[in-house]
Amino acid sequence: MSCANAEDYITKSQINSANGVAGLNANKQVTADVNNAQVKISNQYQSANGSIINRPLVKLTPDNQSAFTLGKEMVQIGGDYDTNGKMVPMSLSVFGRPYGNYNAGCTLCIFSSASGMGGGGGQAAISGIDYRAGAPAVAKGDRAMVGFYQYIENMPARVVAPVASFDASGVTLGRAMTDEEMSQLHDGMYISTNVIDPTIKDTNNAHKAGLLHAHTYWGYIKSWDATHIKVYAWAASGGSTASGQVPNVSYLDDQLSTYKEPMVFVGVSNGVLAENTFMTADGSSVLGDNATSVSNTYAREELDFRAQNWTKPNSLLYQGWVNSFTCDNCDKNAVNEDSFAYLVNGGYLPVGYKALLDAHALEFQGYSTMIGSNGSPITVDDQGNIGKPIINSNHIMSSFESEVDAFSGDKYLGKHALHMSTIVNRDSTQANDWQDYSIRLVMDVDSQRNRRKGLTGGSRMGSIAFNYNHSQGNVCLLGYNDTRGLCQESDGSVNFAQLAQFNNKVNFNDTARIGKSLLFSSADYNFDTKYFSGQGSVFLWNTVNAGRARSELINVDPVNGNGGFDFYDVNSFASAKTSVPMLTLSPSGTVFNLQPKFNAGLSIAIGEDIWFQSNKTGAGFTISGDENGDMNFSTQMSNGANIRKVNGFYGKTATLTNSVSAPKIIGQQFHAQLSTPSSSSEACSAGDFKDDANYHYVCVANNKWKRVALSDF
C-alpha cells in the first residue's frame, strides 16, 4: 500500500480524531496536535532471521519499566533496555547559534524554577534589558552570548497547607487540596513540616556561631487524596531512625519559619546545588588480568581557550571562572562563617590548587592577597617594554594588604594601605647570578603593587632580608627605607651597622666586636662634628686623638663636667651600698682606697702634686717636684707638720720650711751621708751643713763654709 492510497483505507473522520490517526499535509507536517501520556522513539534492528529488536532512544515521560529514581517529570534520553535486555546508550548533541538577549542569547538554557516562560525565572539573564527599549538597552546591556546558561532558585512548595493532625503514616490537612495542586504530586516527593524533634540538642542555634538549622520532621510521599497525604515514614534530620515516629505539634520551629500552627510544605528541598558532578573510578576495572577498561586519567571539567591574531595591546579580555555573590537587604551576620566560594576536599589529594602561569603573572589576586608566579625582578617602561633588572628592582612572591583609617581629631583623612610582602630583590650586580638577589619580608605603607614592577613607592618601614647585599647565608634586619641594622652572617657572627641600644642585660658567650663606639646610658658621639652629647660613657678607639692608637674611655657629664670614674672590685652578691671604689678619678683629684704599687715608678709632671690625705681627718700633705729635680713637701696644717719614721738617704739637702725638733725625728736621730766640702768656698746656701769623720761643716753664707772639730766623749 502506497502513501497515496492511504485515504482509501482510512476515513477522513479518523484523521486527527480520537482512536484515529494524525493527519499530514503535502509537506509531511502534522496538521493537528498529538496528545499522548507516553511518547517513545526507538530504532529497530532486523536480524538475519527476520526478528525485530527494538532499541529505545527517547521517552518523553517514564513508563512502568523506567527506574523509580527517574521521577515522574523526566525526559529520558538513552539508558533504557532493548527487547534482549541490553542497555541502549544515547548521546545528546545540541547545536545553536545565539543571536540576541534573554533566551535567544544561549544555546542551551536550563531553568530550575517554578516560573514558566513568562516569568522572571524562565528568562535567561543575558543582556537582560528589553531590547524594545531602544538606546537604554544598548547603553546598559553587555550584548553577550552564552553556550550554556543555568538558572536555579529556592522554589516555593507545590502545596503549603495547615495541618489538622499527624499520625505515623502521614498527615491530615486542615484544608482540601485543589485538583491543580494534586496534579503536581508524585510518589517519592519531599514533604517537610515546621514541627521539630525536641530530643535533638541543636548546637547550631541563633545564639551561637553555627548556621540556623531547625531539626524539623520530613518524609517522602507515598499516596494522597484531597485531605490526606501518606508518607513512607516521618523522621527528623540528625534524629532517630526508628519507624512509627509522629510529629508532636507542641514543638514548632521558631528559628526559620514563624507559623503559630503546624504546617506542611510539599515538593521543597532542604538545600540547592546549582551543579553536582559525581565521578567514580574503580581501579579493579583497569588493573590486573581481569581489566575491562583502560581509563586512568580523570578531570572534572576542562576549558580550552585558544586565542590568536590579537595584534593590538590590551585588546583581549578573558575571565575564566567568575563567582559573584551578593546579599541584598540582609542582616550583617546573615552569611554563615562556613560559607565559601571555593572548596577543595580530598585527604589523598597532593595539590588543592595548581596554577601554571607566565613568570610575571599572578597565581592569585584579591583585595588583600597577591601571590606571584615564579618570576624574577625586571624593569618595565611606560610602554610596557621589559628590560634587565637594576639595583633594588624586585618581584612580588606574595603580598597581603590591610586598609586602616586615618583621622585628625574627628576629621576623616582617608585610608592607608599596610602591606606585608615577600619579595625577591636585586641587591647587586657582582655575580650576575643568584648571589646578587635577596629574599625579603617587607612591611610598607601605601606602596603600589604590580605583578611586573613589584613593590614601588610608599614607605618601607622595615624588612628581614636573606642573602642580603651579595653576602651568602646572612640574615639582616633593615629599618626605615632599607637602612641596614643587625645582620647575622653565615658563620654565626652578628654585626650592628648602626647604633645598638640594649635596655636590659646582654650576654656574649664569645667575642663581641664593636665597630666604632660603645655607648652607655644616653651618651652619644657624632663622628662628623666630633661632639659628645647626652650623659653617660663612651668607649672609643683612636678617635678623640687619632693616630695615637689608644683606647679612649670618656665620661660625658653635661653638668659642668663634674663627673669622673669609680673603679670597684666586689665579691658576688655584695651590696652596692657598702662597696667602696678602689680608685676614683675625677676633676677634683684621684683617690686610692688601697695601697698603690708602682712597679715601674711614678712620673709626675713639673708643677703637679701628689696628695696624701687622711680618710679620717681630711688632713694631708703633698709631694711635688720642681724644674731643678728637687722634691718639695708641703702640708695642709697651718702650724707645720711632723716627719716621722724616716729611714733613708736624702741626697744633697732636705729643706724644711719650719723648725726641726730633734725628738720629733724618727728614733730621735737624724742621719745623713758623710761628705766633706772640697773647700771653704764650695758652693752652698746659708744653713746647709755636712759632716765627715772629723768635722761638722756649716754654710754660714753663700759659698762660705766653717767647721768645728769632733772629739770622743
Side-chain angles (χ1 to χ4, degrees), residues 42 52 90 112 166 296 306 413 432 470 565:
S42 300
I52 301 297
M90 179 68 176
S112 295
F166 288 104
N296 66 345
R306 299 291 184 263
L413 301 180
N432 283 323
H470 199 76
F565 302 90

Side-chain angles (χ1 to χ4, degrees), residues 259-422:
Y259 285 102
K260 304 304 180 184
E261 60 180 332
M263 303 288 292
V264 290
F265 310 90
V266 181
V268 292
S269 62
N270 189 50
V272 178
L273 298 175
E275 186 175 346
N276 186 8
T277 300
F278 187 88
M279 302 175 66
T280 64
D282 187 351
S284 64
S285 299
V286 179
L287 306 176
D289 54 7
N290 292 315
T292 59
S293 174
V294 295
S295 298
N296 66 345
T297 62
Y298 302 87
R300 159 66 175 85
E301 186 174 344
E302 179 176 337
L303 190 156
D304 295 318
F305 180 82
R306 299 291 184 263
Q308 53 187 321
N309 300 326
W310 298 90
T311 58
K312 292 186 177 181
N314 207 28
S315 61
L316 173 65
L317 173 64
Y318 171 76
Q319 296 176 335
W321 186 271
V322 179
N323 190 319
S324 177
F325 176 85
T326 62
C327 190
D328 298 328
N329 193 28
C330 296
D331 182 270
K332 64 179 181 180
N333 296 316
V335 181
N336 181 262
E337 290 295 323
D338 286 335
S339 301
F340 51 80
Y342 184 81
L343 171 67
V344 176
N345 183 10
Y348 292 93
L349 196 64
V351 179
Y353 178 84
K354 192 170 185 177
L356 305 176
L357 304 175
D358 178 77
H360 294 95
L362 293 177
E363 295 181 358
F364 182 86
Q365 181 179 26
Y367 285 128
S368 168
T369 307
M370 291 177 63
I371 298 178
S373 191
N374 63 338
S376 61
I378 56 174
T379 56
V380 182
D381 62 20
D382 293 339
Q383 287 72 42
N385 299 312
I386 296 177
K388 294 182 178 180
I390 60 176
I391 299 298
N392 286 329
S393 57
N394 65 85
H395 168 73
I396 296 176
M397 302 174 71
S398 64
S399 182
F400 303 90
E401 176 177 303
S402 176
E403 283 191 341
V404 297
D405 294 325
F407 292 88
S408 177
D410 294 332
K411 183 180 179 182
Y412 178 66
L413 301 180
K415 293 183 179 295
H416 290 288
L418 306 183
H419 298 133
M420 180 61 71
S421 307
T422 306

Side-chain angles (χ1 to χ4, degrees), residues 468 476-479 482-489 494-501 513-517 527:
Y468 175 72
C476 292
L477 298 179
L478 309 182
D482 290 342
T483 301
R484 179 176 174 176
L486 169 67
C487 286
Q488 177 172 313
E489 304 302 333
V494 178
N495 292 322
F496 293 91
Q498 305 295 328
L499 172 68
Q501 181 172 332
R513 186 184 302 277
I514 310 300
K516 285 189 175 182
S517 62
F527 285 85

